Amino acid sequence: MKLAFIGTYPPQKCGIGTFTGNLINAIAENFGYKNLAPNLYVIAVSDSEQNYNYPPEVSFVVNQNNQKDYISAAKFINYNKADVCVLQHEFGIFGGESGIYILSLINRIDIPLIVTFHTVLKEPTHVQKMIVRELSRKAQKVVVMSRKAVKFLLEIYEIPESRIEIIEHGVPVSKILHRDTVREKFNFSNKTALFTFGLLSRNKGIETVIKALPRVVEKHDNLLYVVLGNTHPKVLSKYGEEYREYLLRLVKDYNLENHVYFYKNFVPEEHLIEYLYATDIYITPYLNEAQITSGTLSYAIGTGTAVISTPYWHAQELLAGGRGILFDFKNHTQLGNILLDLLDNRAKIEQLREAAFEYGQKITWPKIGARYIKTAKGAAADYSYVPVEKKTTLDPYLLPDFTLAHVKRMTDDTGIVQHAKFGIPNLKEGYCLDDNSRALLMTTMAYRANKTQEPLDLMPVYLSFIHYMQNDDGLFKNFLSFNRMFIDDIGSEDCFGRTMWALGYLLCYSPNDSYHRTALYIFQKSLPAVNSLKYSRGIANTIIGMTYYLKQYPSEIKTKETARVMTEKLLSMYTGTSKNGWNWFENIITYDNAVLPLALFHSAELFNDRRYLDAAVSAAKFLESVTMVSGYLRPVGSNGWYPRNGKCAEYAQQAVDVMGMTLLFSKAYEMTKEKKYLDSMFTSFMWYLGKNSLNLPVYDFETGGCNDGIEDHGLNQNQGAESTLSYLISHLTLLNAFELEYEYEK
């Protein structure tokens, strides 16, 4: 039998990866395979910024945050065939919101699927619930490791019971180890050893054990509590070693320096098992019940270790029947009493060990592997492939790889340079707020999509520039020379609005508290100036920024009232000129046009006001009729614009208008769920790649920049900030739309 596995994989230091490796080896043992490949092969999901030396069975590597890799992986699986695909699912190991990128893979494979859910949430977000339901819909079987998980799948996610199977977390086959020998190896011979292992984070509750120890060590002064494990990578990237340092201070405060040892390491499985054999009592003091599976707890039971735990869901099941002792969350007094009772009555520890060991023999990896083989055979027998017809023209495979190369080339420690001479920064032209605000919006979108360090490092440059350009009254200067001299006193309303949009978006999707607080300070300082806005595009951009802000701060009544006033002002512009087939806000269509109906879509969402939605749909339809010709986008040219009753200028097409159309159609789909808007969005984007008046790509595949537009004589080959940022924002908008593929391709 040939099986394909999807998940993280060793040498990546990850619990899911360890599980996947153990499962594959257990299945190989059952089949008698001497080598894993080619009968058992792995699609490894890798950290975006790590390169691993994978073993031969890893046939394809998916960069966690690269959407195209998931589609390529599906093609690889379909080409190489297998009888069944086995997916290990955990929200955090896949890219996109809550790991939504995995759907683009599983919806493209044409072989039976088994999904193992390592996490089943009691209170999922809308996206998390949707992902679980979509995976379960596609799968022949879903595997969970506890009865509680089955209950959740039935009651919360409404998964058919016939599709669900319980297969417990496997444990290594117990080796014959002399306990005294391994205790001597770890210098435990004359000590009472307590043990906790796993990736450190605040929900682990290690402080509960530390607070319980002072009373215990008074009576058992040979006690040593070993905490083994690195800090969780995501915690480390956001908070550093804050939690570990807190625990170290706590140890010092309780005078436990001789009784608590932090071993900061990720140890091999064999080493871990030796620790479990050597320890007297294993403790999992997690802070809440929401853990449906614990591999660390399973391993402790498998090695016959005496276990004390808080009553999280998996512990309640696995430690039932006298296999362990539970204590209440955060109750260090109760834990101290249990420890004293066990250490004063060693026979009770032996009883726990015997009960745990007996149960552990039922869930060894070879037995778990046999269960998966049986499930896989059943899935293969029940499967029949049904081709799925594609519902839209969207094709993520046509997108170039996302790169910030040109943006980095254009950015120095002041900000992003406004213009370029061909592919290099034109320093003579200096900087402008418009582009630095667009750059902040783009990098926030990029970090939200890809979670890489690169955009995160650029964001403070642009945010700092915005702060520098803000006046005391909340308005902004726009232009700054290369030698950092202000060129104007007050910028246009357009640049004000674009800045409010970027700040509002950052406040809605802040990657950290520092950036959030800075953006909030600037945004709130500018809010009083909003009421003085007069012109359509400044108003529209500002409305969009306020709607994002209000998603984060929905109780800000005054800001919401201001957003309503601005929307009414924009709507009155539309109704004042929209007549006789000219469904527009002004008597001339000029530049950055799509932002006007886009703002009304955002307000329709915020206020649930049908007037705004109807006007947005009507204006979007009119703009599309003007700019979509012969199957491609032709933005209104800036060498004449499009006056009412006049002729539409064809050339001096600008990338910023294409960005607007891409964003407009994306939002239109979001608000109406009409798939035609997705086709229009993709057609708009393809302007950058050559589906335009010249049949030439405006995007430069070599530099990662975007040419400044289409002229009557050809391309404007300068690759300034506005055009490049417009392309990148459009690219990211498509990536975000691809996350909804499960919805629009049904």
Side-chain angles (χ1 to χ4, degrees):
M1 192 172 196
K2 188 174 183 179
L3 301 176
F5 296 83
I6 304 171
T8 54
Y9 201 71
Q12 184 171 341
K13 296 175 180 178
C14 166
I16 305 297
T18 302
F19 181 97
T20 308
N22 282 326
L23 176 60
I24 291 174
N25 282 295
I27 290 173
E29 183 178 338
N30 274 273
F31 278 129
Y33 295 154
K34 293 183 179 179
N35 298 307
L36 300 182
N39 292 309
L40 306 176
Y41 68 87
V42 179
I43 310 298
V45 182
S46 177
D47 302 276
S48 58
E49 297 178 356
Q50 295 286 338
N51 290 312
Y52 296 103
N53 184 22
Y54 285 112
E57 62 268 21
V58 173
S59 301
F60 193 96
V61 177
V62 171
N63 180 324
Q64 177 185 22
N65 293 308
N66 188 331
Q67 279 180 299
K68 287 173 65 175
D69 280 2
Y70 292 84
I71 298 169
S72 297
K75 292 184 177 183
F76 179 87
I77 291 170
N78 292 337
Y79 178 78
N80 284 274
K81 292 299 180 184
D83 297 297
V84 176
C85 179
V86 183
L87 168 69
Q88 303 305 316
H89 182 267
E90 176 69 69
F91 293 109
I93 68 173
F94 303 110
E97 184 179 355
S98 298
I100 198 171
Y101 288 178
I102 189 59
L103 296 184
S104 61
L105 192 165
I106 64 102
N107 282 325
R108 284 175 167 81
I109 61 173
D110 56 15
I111 61 173
L113 175 70
I114 295 171
V115 178
T116 302
F117 287 119
H118 290 259
T119 294
V120 182
L121 298 172
K122 184 179 182 180
E123 297 178 349
T125 65
H126 169 74
V127 172
Q128 290 166 338
K129 185 175 182 179
M130 176 277 301
I131 291 170
V132 171
R133 295 182 71 168
E134 283 297 305
L135 289 172
S136 301
R137 181 185 63 82
K138 175 71 174 179
Q140 304 303 113
K141 282 289 184 180
V142 298
V143 175
V144 290
M145 305 179 203
S146 66
R147 293 186 298 278
K148 179 71 76 173
V150 173
K151 185 174 186 292
F152 287 171
L153 288 179
L154 292 172
E155 297 178 0
I156 299 170
Y157 300 88
E158 300 175 321
I159 308 304
E161 188 171 8
S162 60
R163 197 165 293 181
I164 306 170
E165 187 164 345
I166 295 180
I167 303 178
E168 293 194 69
H169 195 296
V171 300
V173 176
S174 297
K175 298 179 181 178
I176 306 301
L177 295 175
H178 197 282
R179 193 159 177 268
D180 289 341
T181 302
V182 289
R183 285 176 65 81
E184 184 177 348
K185 176 178 178 178
F186 297 121
N187 198 24
F188 290 172
S189 296
N190 299 313
K191 294 181 175 69
T192 295
L194 311 181
F195 185 45
T196 296
F197 77 93
L199 294 172
L200 273 190
S201 60
R202 280 200 170 271
N203 66 345
K204 296 299 184 183
I206 306 300
E207 62 273 20
T208 306
V209 184
I210 293 171
K211 292 174 182 178
L213 291 184
R215 280 195 305 127
V216 181
V217 299
E218 282 182 11
K219 192 169 184 181
H220 300 274
D221 63 358
N222 67 336
L223 184 145
L224 177 66
Y225 178 41
V226 177
V227 181
L228 169 62
N230 292 321
T231 299
H232 195 288
K234 291 186 178 178
V235 174
L236 193 64
S237 65
K238 192 166 186 180
Y239 302 109
E241 292 287 7
E242 178 189 41
Y243 180 55
R244 186 184 298 273
E245 289 165 5
Y246 157 71
L247 295 175
L248 290 169
R249 290 195 301 272
L250 201 62
V251 168
K252 186 175 181 62
D253 291 344
Y254 283 96
N255 297 314
L256 293 170
E257 292 96 327
N258 295 326
H259 299 282
V260 180
Y261 172 56
F262 290 92
Y263 183 18
K264 187 179 175 182
N265 200 357
F266 188 96
V267 300
E269 185 176 281
E270 312 82 66
H271 198 175
L272 176 59
I273 298 231
E274 289 179 336
Y275 260 107
L276 288 167
Y277 270 109
T279 195
D280 291 278
I281 299 171
Y282 179 70
I283 307 175
T284 55
Y286 304 157
L287 295 183
N288 59 69
E289 64 180 0
Q291 181 145 346
I292 209 79
T293 305
S294 171
T296 62
L297 185 65
S298 296
Y299 272 39
I301 292 296
T303 53
T305 305
V307 178
I308 307 174
S309 177
T310 50
Y312 55 90
W313 294 322
H314 194 204
Q316 291 177 34
E317 292 187 27
L318 197 54
L319 300 185
R323 295 189 290 269
I325 299 175
L326 301 176
F327 67 96
D328 296 334
F329 297 109
K330 302 180 183 179
N331 194 331
H332 59 87
T333 302
Q334 185 185 13
L335 173 59
N337 292 337
I338 294 170
L339 286 169
L340 284 169
D341 180 54
L342 290 176
L343 297 178
D344 290 342
N345 300 277
R346 294 278 178 165
K348 292 184 178 181
I349 295 178
E350 292 305 318
Q351 289 173 1
L352 291 173
R353 283 186 185 140
E354 289 172 7
F357 184 80
E358 180 182 353
Y359 189 80
Q361 300 315 294
K362 300 176 184 178
I363 55 173
T364 57
W365 274 118
K367 294 176 181 176
I368 298 302
R371 293 283 307 279
Y372 268 90
I373 291 171
K374 181 179 178 182
T375 301
K377 288 180 177 178
D382 295 341
Y383 180 75
S384 59
Y385 173 62
V386 179
V388 179
E389 181 182 353
K390 191 167 172 57
K391 305 293 195 304
T392 71
T393 59
L394 270 68
D395 187 352
Y397 220 64
L398 295 181
L399 269 66
D401 290 338
F402 184 82
T403 175
L404 294 177
H406 192 58
V407 168
K408 291 167 68 178
R409 191 179 300 120
M410 295 284 289
T411 300
D412 60 19
D413 60 356
T414 298
I416 190 165
V417 175
Q418 183 177 7
H419 294 295
K421 194 64 177 175
F422 300 107
I424 66 166
N426 186 349
L427 304 181
K428 296 177 182 179
E429 302 293 337
Y431 316 86
C432 72
L433 182 65
D434 277 311
D435 290 332
N436 279 273
S437 295
R438 287 192 191 95
L440 180 64
L441 173 63
M442 183 278 294
T443 48
T444 307
M445 293 174 70
Y447 183 75
R448 185 184 173 207
N450 300 325
K451 298 295 187 296
T452 54
Q453 191 65 33
E454 198 172 38
L456 197 63
D457 290 341
L458 289 167
M459 288 168 66
V461 177
Y462 310 132
L463 188 56
S464 176
F465 184 93
I466 292 170
H467 176 250
Y468 185 63
M469 300 297 281
Q470 188 175 39
N471 295 326
D472 291 339
D473 60 1
L475 295 172
F476 298 92
K477 300 175 179 67
N478 192 12
F479 298 108
L480 187 74
S481 68
F482 184 64
N483 61 358
R484 297 188 180 182
M485 298 294 292
F486 295 121
I487 296 175
D488 56 355
D489 293 324
I490 299 176
S492 66
E493 288 190 6
D494 288 12
C495 83
F496 177 89
R498 291 185 186 109
T499 303
M500 294 296 280
W501 179 352
L503 292 169
Y505 191 88
L506 174 57
L507 288 168
C508 189
Y509 302 109
S510 298
N512 59 47
D513 184 61
S514 175
Y515 297 175
H516 186 98
R517 283 186 283 116
T518 304
L520 185 62
Y521 170 80
I522 303 170
F523 188 92
Q524 291 184 336
K525 187 175 180 179
S526 292
L527 274 175
V530 172
N531 287 310
S532 64
L533 296 175
K534 299 177 181 178
Y535 300 107
S536 58
R537 284 158 185 79
I539 290 171
N541 279 287
T542 301
I543 287 170
I544 296 170
M546 287 193 291
T547 60
Y548 281 118
Y549 172 83
L550 288 165
K551 287 181 180 181
Q552 185 69 22
Y553 296 99
S555 61
E556 289 274 354
I557 303 301
K558 188 175 180 180
T559 305
K560 194 168 185 178
E561 290 173 352
T562 303
R564 171 72 86 171
V565 169
M566 290 296 106
T567 306
E568 288 294 330
K569 189 179 288 190
L570 185 63
L571 182 64
S572 70
M573 293 178 184
Y574 177 76
T575 56
T577 57
S578 177
K579 54 180 69 78
N580 300 324
W582 182 268
N583 298 326
W584 198 241
F585 301 79
E586 299 155 331
N587 286 314
I588 186 170
I589 301 178
T590 55
Y591 68 98
D592 200 9
N593 300 300
V595 72
L596 304 179
L598 176 61
L600 289 181
F601 274 123
H602 277 274
S603 287
E605 179 183 34
L606 175 64
F607 296 109
N608 193 27
D609 192 317
R610 185 74 199 188
R611 295 176 304 139
Y612 303 156
L613 182 61
D614 289 345
V617 169
S618 177
K621 182 179 180 181
F622 178 67
L623 185 60
E624 183 175 18
S625 71
V626 170
T627 57
M628 288 286 189
V629 293
S630 303
Y632 63 86
L633 180 70
R634 190 186 68 191
V636 174
S638 62
N639 63 347
W641 310 121
Y642 181 25
R644 192 168 190 161
N645 299 320
K647 183 179 180 182
C648 182
E650 181 173 356
Y651 289 107
Q653 299 173 23
Q654 299 178 50
V656 67
D657 285 295
V658 183
M659 177 191 81
M661 297 297 280
T662 307
L663 288 164
L664 173 62
F665 291 128
S666 173
K667 194 68 180 179
Y669 169 75
E670 183 183 336
M671 293 299 296
T672 67
K673 301 306 178 186
E674 294 185 30
K675 296 176 184 178
K676 65 180 182 180
Y677 289 119
L678 295 173
D679 292 330
S680 296
M681 178 189 66
F682 193 63
T683 299
S684 298
F685 177 82
M686 290 303 291
W687 179 91
Y688 294 109
L689 302 186
K691 198 173 181 181
N692 53 47
S693 302
L694 296 180
N695 287 316
L696 290 174
V698 186
Y699 174 74
D700 188 328
F701 289 81
E702 179 183 358
T703 66
C706 182
N707 292 294
D708 278 350
I710 293 179
E711 308 288 347
D712 55 1
H713 57 77
L715 292 177
N716 180 338
Q717 295 182 45
N718 296 322
Q719 298 175 13
E722 179 180 284
S723 57
T724 297
L725 293 167
S726 295
Y727 166 79
L728 292 171
I729 289 170
S730 301
H731 188 130
L732 290 162
T733 301
L734 255 69
L735 292 182
N736 186 63
F738 293 146
E739 293 188 14
L740 303 176
E741 185 180 50
Y742 72 92
E743 179 180 89
Y744 58 71
E745 288 295 350
K746 279 187 177 179

